[in-house]
Amino acid sequence: MNIDRTEKYIDLTQEQLPGYLMDVRENALDNGIPIIRPSVQGLLRFLMGYAQPRNILEIGAAVG
């Protein structure tokens, strides 16, 4: 699997973040809080849309 191509595809297909999430992202970047890469975020959003889980357990994601 070509990770670079996969990552580029995910980047091209993901939707723009809602304004409030962009604010959270910018605040985290301004304060040196590590956040996930946009491609990982896109993959997680895709998987949640596909699986439509009723519950999600978030552990250690800094800003969540």
Side-chain angles (χ1 to χ4, degrees), residues 31-45:
N31 290 296
I33 299 171
I35 58 174
I36 61 174
R37 294 188 321 262
S39 57
V40 175
Q41 176 192 24
L43 176 60
L44 291 174
R45 289 175 77 182

Side-chain angles (χ1 to χ4, degrees), residues 7 13 22 30 32 35 42 52 58 60-61:
E7 190 170 347
T13 59
M22 287 297 288
D30 290 345
I35 58 174
Q52 298 183 353
E58 179 272 319

Side-chain angles (χ1 to χ4, degrees), residues 55-64:
N55 298 300
I56 297 173
L57 174 62
E58 179 272 319
I59 300 175
V63 295

Side-chain angles (χ1 to χ4, degrees), residues 3-63:
I3 298 300
D4 290 333
R5 287 182 61 192
T6 304
E7 190 170 347
K8 285 178 185 176
Y9 174 78
I10 292 170
D11 287 343
L12 289 172
T13 59
Q14 73 178 346
E15 299 173 13
Q16 182 71 21
L17 287 177
Y20 70 95
L21 289 179
M22 287 297 288
D23 293 342
V24 170
R25 181 181 187 280
E26 292 302 319
N27 186 36
L29 292 173
D30 290 345
N31 290 296
I33 299 171
I35 58 174
I36 61 174
R37 294 188 321 262
S39 57
V40 175
Q41 176 192 24
L43 176 60
L44 291 174
R45 289 175 77 182
F46 169 78
L47 292 173
M48 287 188 290
Y50 179 76
Q52 298 183 353
R54 287 192 277 168
N55 298 300
I56 297 173
L57 174 62
E58 179 272 319
I59 300 175
V63 295

